[in-house]
Each structure stands twice: as structure tokens, then as C-alpha cells.
Amino acid sequence: MNSAPLSGLYAPSLSLLTDLYQVTMAYGYWQQGLQDREAVFHLYFRKAPFQGGYAVAAGLAYAVDYLQNLRFSEDDLAYLGSLKSSKGTAMFPAEFLQYLRELKFTCDVDAIAEGTVVFGNEPLIRVQGPLLQAQLVETALLTLVNFQTLIATKASRIREAAGSDTVLEFGLRRAQGVDGGLSASRAAYLGGADATSNVLAGQRFGIPVKGTHAHSWVMAFEDEETAFTAYAKAFPDDSVFLVDTYDTLEGVRHAIKVAREMRANGHELGGIRLDSGDLAYLSREARALLNEAGFNNVRIVASNDLEENLITSLKQQGAKIDTWGIGTQLVTAYDQPALGGVYKLAALRKPDDSGWDFTIKLSEQLAKTSIPGILQVRRYETDKGQPRADMLYNVAEPLPEQLTLVDPLDATRRRAVRPEAPFRELLEPIFRRGELVHTLPTLQESRAHAQRQVLSLDPSIRRFLNPHTYPVGLEESLNTFRTKLILEKRPVRPA
């Protein structure tokens, strides 16, 4: 299912999904006659989240939907026209608002496919086109890609911990608002969750929906057994009983009693859910009770602030859990609430159209110094398709015959590339002059791609504690040019 993810949820126009300074800069460019100067921006993050070794790219489908529908409605223009300067005059003149009224997105956009494993400094999206337009979309692209990449990465880590067990995303009630819930459900499924409790996400994205019942269901009846019996009557072939409302193991015994009645009527209990207490101990005891009663196929579902490290620990303790319900920790990316992606200007067309002026943003920290050029990401692979190393290079400059990768944080760390080494270019054309030229895969296809991608990584990169650093290097001539540009832009301070 590949429906437009935002259609009908918000206003048709999302042009004001931006920071004010994007609009003020757009006005400044327009006033200076720079609005059509060709520019190149890159969207990337500097460091993988969760102290991990990789991230899973996500959010591109949302970004495509946003860019396809980028236009300023009359309501948008009326609002911008109502904004006042500190002197009480109109912040934006009528002539500029008329320019926005006629604005049509005409940029080229290249992006890395959703579900692809990515690493620090690699452009997930490259935008090339008129400076005003490429600048104006910064905030929206960041908010759409940052969050979903973060959640998809978290889900992939939970998938890694759970192994072949079922993973259910249960986080809507703790999500950061309506879109936080929807986009988190989508990204969690892309990253590896098997289903969601979010019914709207199921409708919008074709994600399987799963759920049990709440403690309030049990509390609404005279006793636990009566509650289970009533639920089994409503859902004779799809019942999972929440057994910890009063006493967990006693709840398991009540579930078994009702399960016997269900079996006598030709139905089977699907599972029980544990939502509190010592999950390792309780799951082992529950499994023993169920097996002793002849219900070996009844699943044990666990919830209660689970995440990848706790799942790993529970498995090490011998927990008998086969389905994991993950809520708050997943949809809020609890241990790292933001990815920290950035959007940096990397090139401007020379005023005489004779070539490019490559730009750089400096910092006291080399890690925060941007990379100039019109960048592409080349992934070198083994003959079996396993990633070996990634190279960032400037497509506006010819590549030398002998390629060498240079660590962007330590120029003494270098890696020669074999001329015959197989590779893939990761940034693919998405828009050309504002027209969509790429057929997006379905969410299910992107999910399958993500799982193949993560499993292709060496286990040392996937591990949670002190993961191995996957090699991402600058092509040597790009690194040399970057260093030259840094020296040119940085003032020489007196000793």
C-alpha cells in the first residue's frame, strides 16, 4: 500500500511547516535577486543514534509527498501577510507574496532509498536547484526524515534483540501527538516491527494491526474468569488475555480454565499477556503452567517499557516470551529523542555560470565542519553483496584512476580501493526539475529491504555495546580540497 501518507490529515498545503527564518531568508534572496541562483544542499546526520553502529534511512515517502504538494495557499499567504515587523509594518511586501503565490517547486532531488543502512556524514537527500526553493524546504525535510530515521533505527535494534520472535508496536498512547503516532508506527514497521496497535496507521499504510485488551476490561466484570469468558465469546479465535490485573499466576490459571472451555467448543486461546512484574520469572512459570495443561501453542506476550537491551537481558535470563509489545521506548526513541540531522549548503553556481563555488561551514570541532561539493555515496561491497566501505565523492569533479578513502576525522587513516571492487551508488534520482521521476516502493518492500540491509552488516557493527565503526571515507582529492578550503576560510590568528 503506497497511499499519500499526509493526504487529508492536515491542510492540503504544508508550505508553512517551516521555521520563520526560512521565509525571511527566502525574502532576502528574492530582494537581492538571488532566488534563482543554482544551489546544492545535503541532508545528513553526523553520528549514528543510540550509540550504535548504523542507522536505517526512513521518511522519504513523506518527503516526496510534501515536495509534490509544495505550494502556498491563499490562507498561507494571508497569514504571512499578517505578520508584522518590530516597527509594526508588514514583514513581507505584497510583491513577494505574489512571487510565493506563483512559486512551483523545480529542484532536482536525489535520495537514498528507505530501508537502506546509512552512516554519519552520508547525504540521505541531495537538493539541487534555485537557491530560494532549496533553502525553503530545509525544515520540513529535516523533521520528516530525522524522526522516521530515528524510529526505524530503534525498531531495527529491537528486531535484532528479538530475533525471530514477533514484535508488536504498541506506542500510540505515548507518542508525541497525532503525527508522532502515525509516523512512528510507519517507521517502526519499516524498521522491523511485525504489526501495530495503531488502527489509523493500519488503514493509511497497510500495516497489520494487533492488540489484546486493557486492565479495564477485567475490572469491568465481577471477576477475572468472567472477564476472560466474555472476551472469548466476543473473539473466539483471536483472544489474548491480559493476566496481571490482580495476581499474575492466578490470572494464568484462570486463562487456562477458560481456554479449556474454548477448546471444548472448537476454539483455541491465542495467548496471554504479561504487563508487569519479573517478566523472566513470570514467563517461565506461565509457560510451565500452560504446557502442563496442554496449551503448548499458547503464545506469551510481554509488554512494560521494553527495549532492545531489556529484551536481550530477558532472553539471557531464559524468559519464555515469544511476542514483544513495544510502546513508549520505541515511538519516543526514549534514550535518544532526536537524530540531529542537518541540512547544509555545499555548492553555488558561479554568477557567470562558469562552474561551481563550493561552500563549507567551519567549526571548532572537525566533526561539525561540513563537506563541500555535489556529493554522491558509493558503497563498495563484497561479491556476496555485503557492505565493505562507503566513499563520499564530488560528482562535479572527475575521479582519479586510483581511489583512496580518507577518514574525515583523521586524515592518517586511509583505505585503498581495488579497481575491480563492486559498488553501488546510493543516491538515486527522485525529482528532476520538480517532476517525480522515481517509483517509490511500497512500505512492505521498504521493510523487506531494511531487514536485508541490516542483516548484511557484520555482527560487530550491529552489536549494541561498543559497535565496530563502519568505514566511511572521503575520496582523497575531495579531502584535499576540503582541507584547502578550511585553510582559506579560517583566519590566521596571532600567536
Side-chain angles (χ1 to χ4, degrees):
M1 187 172 183
N2 201 30
S3 57
L6 301 180
S7 178
L9 181 60
Y10 297 111
S13 168
L14 287 176
S15 61
L16 298 189
L17 183 67
T18 189
D19 295 304
L20 179 62
Y21 78 175
Q22 307 291 5
V23 188
T24 59
M25 285 191 289
Y27 171 57
Y29 293 142
W30 177 82
Q31 188 184 62
Q32 294 295 314
L34 298 174
Q35 69 272 16
D36 293 324
R37 187 176 182 186
E38 191 174 9
V40 178
F41 287 82
H42 297 119
L43 186 157
Y44 62 97
F45 59 88
R46 298 187 180 101
K47 188 177 181 181
F50 314 114
Q51 300 182 46
Y54 69 93
V56 175
L60 178 60
Y62 267 48
V64 167
D65 186 84
Y66 159 75
L67 294 173
Q68 279 190 295
N69 294 285
L70 182 62
R71 62 186 56 86
F72 286 86
S73 70
E74 291 304 316
D75 286 345
D76 297 335
L77 296 168
Y79 175 73
L80 292 176
S82 73
L83 298 180
K84 305 297 183 185
S85 72
S86 58
K87 297 292 187 181
T89 59
M91 183 175 288
F92 303 110
E95 295 82 0
F96 176 64
L97 297 179
Q98 180 59 31
Y99 172 84
L100 294 182
R101 180 178 284 108
E102 298 171 359
L103 183 69
K104 183 180 184 300
F105 183 70
T106 59
C107 292
D108 292 349
V109 178
D110 296 75
I112 295 178
E114 287 192 286
T116 304
V117 290
V118 288
F119 307 93
N121 293 311
E122 298 184 340
L124 306 188
I125 296 179
R126 185 180 73 213
V127 179
Q128 180 173 339
L131 174 59
L132 183 151
Q133 296 180 35
Q135 180 75 72
L136 196 60
V137 300
E138 172 184 1
T139 299
L141 291 181
L142 283 170
T143 193
L144 296 173
V145 171
N146 272 345
F147 181 66
Q148 289 205 42
T149 297
L150 186 73
I151 301 303
T153 305
K154 186 69 170 176
S156 77
R157 291 165 60 85
I158 290 169
R159 173 84 273 160
E160 176 83 10
S164 60
D165 296 346
T166 300
V167 174
L168 308 178
E169 179 269 303
F170 280 174
L172 179 59
R173 64 185 58 201
R174 302 282 176 79
Q176 314 292 21
V178 175
D179 184 58
L182 266 182
S183 55
S185 293
R186 180 186 185 277
Y189 182 66
L190 190 153
D194 295 293
T196 180
S197 65
N198 185 340
V199 180
L200 184 58
Q203 179 207 43
R204 290 298 175 99
F205 307 124
I207 303 172
V209 289
K210 300 288 183 181
T212 60
H213 61 73
H215 294 106
S216 54
W217 174 268
V218 176
M219 296 160 65
F221 290 84
E222 179 181 353
D223 56 48
E224 193 170 52
E225 186 180 328
T226 302
F228 292 165
T229 300
Y231 200 78
K233 183 177 181 181
F235 301 99
D237 299 302
D238 297 283
S239 283
V240 176
F241 298 152
L242 180 57
V243 295
D244 72 335
T245 305
Y246 304 120
D247 179 278
T248 301
L249 296 181
E250 197 60 28
V252 175
R253 294 184 180 96
H254 290 152
I256 289 170
K257 185 174 181 181
V258 175
R260 289 192 176 108
E261 296 170 0
M262 294 172 67
R263 179 172 285 176
N265 292 317
H267 305 288
E268 291 292 328
L269 176 63
I272 62 167
R273 178 158 72 99
L274 309 174
D275 191 49
S276 60
D278 185 333
L279 296 179
Y281 166 76
L282 291 172
S283 66
R284 291 195 302 267
E285 293 297 307
R287 185 77 274 160
L289 289 170
L290 289 165
N291 289 356
E292 184 181 354
F295 293 101
N296 303 63
N297 293 326
V298 170
R299 292 175 290 113
I300 297 180
V301 183
S303 49
N304 189 25
D305 280 343
L306 298 173
E307 41 77 41
E308 64 268 35
N309 296 298
L310 183 51
I311 292 172
T312 300
S313 175
L314 287 167
K315 282 179 166 286
Q316 291 171 346
Q317 296 173 59
K320 300 299 182 181
I321 296 166
D322 30 50
T323 300
W324 306 87
I326 319 293
T328 307
Q329 298 276 345
L330 173 54
V331 301
T332 66
Y334 196 83
D335 46 339
Q336 183 176 328
L339 179 64
V342 295
Y343 187 85
K344 297 299 181 185
L345 178 66
L348 284 166
R349 181 73 70 177
K350 291 180 183 293
D352 62 3
D353 203 30
S354 62
W356 293 96
D357 287 324
F358 298 114
T359 60
I360 192 168
K361 186 267 180 189
L362 299 185
S363 172
E364 295 298 318
Q365 301 167 269
L366 185 57
K368 289 192 173 184
T369 297
S370 66
I371 301 170
I374 304 174
L375 301 182
Q376 174 61 278
V377 184
R378 178 175 291 184
R379 175 157 297 167
Y380 290 96
E381 300 174 329
T382 67
D383 294 335
K384 295 182 178 180
Q386 293 177 302
R388 289 176 57 89
D390 289 2
M391 179 180 76
L392 306 185
Y393 70 96
N394 183 2
V395 300
E397 299 290 339
L399 285 173
E401 288 188 16
Q402 177 56 53
L403 296 175
T404 301
L405 279 61
V406 181
D407 188 320
L409 300 181
D410 183 357
T412 66
R413 295 173 61 88
R414 295 168 177 245
R415 180 185 292 251
V417 178
R418 293 182 294 108
E420 70 277 10
F423 64 83
R424 293 187 301 118
E425 309 286 18
L426 296 189
L427 286 163
E428 304 173 324
I430 306 297
F431 287 90
R432 286 295 178 263
R433 297 190 60 80
E435 297 296 324
L436 185 64
V437 297
H438 181 79
T439 301
L440 291 175
T442 65
L443 177 58
Q444 289 74 14
E445 290 168 340
S446 294
R447 178 179 184 270
H449 175 59
Q451 293 188 40
R452 289 192 301 269
Q453 283 275 294
V454 173
L455 289 175
S456 74
L457 293 175
D458 189 88
S460 65
I461 299 168
R462 305 201 309 261
R463 68 188 180 215
F464 302 149
L465 184 62
N466 298 323
H468 180 73
T469 300
Y470 178 84
V472 177
L474 305 185
E475 187 275 315
E476 186 175 22
S477 62
L478 174 59
N479 182 72
T480 300
F481 176 71
R482 183 191 189 213
T483 302
K484 176 176 176 288
L485 208 55
I486 291 172
L487 294 174
E488 288 176 359
K489 299 293 185 181
R490 178 166 287 156
V492 178
R493 297 173 181 171

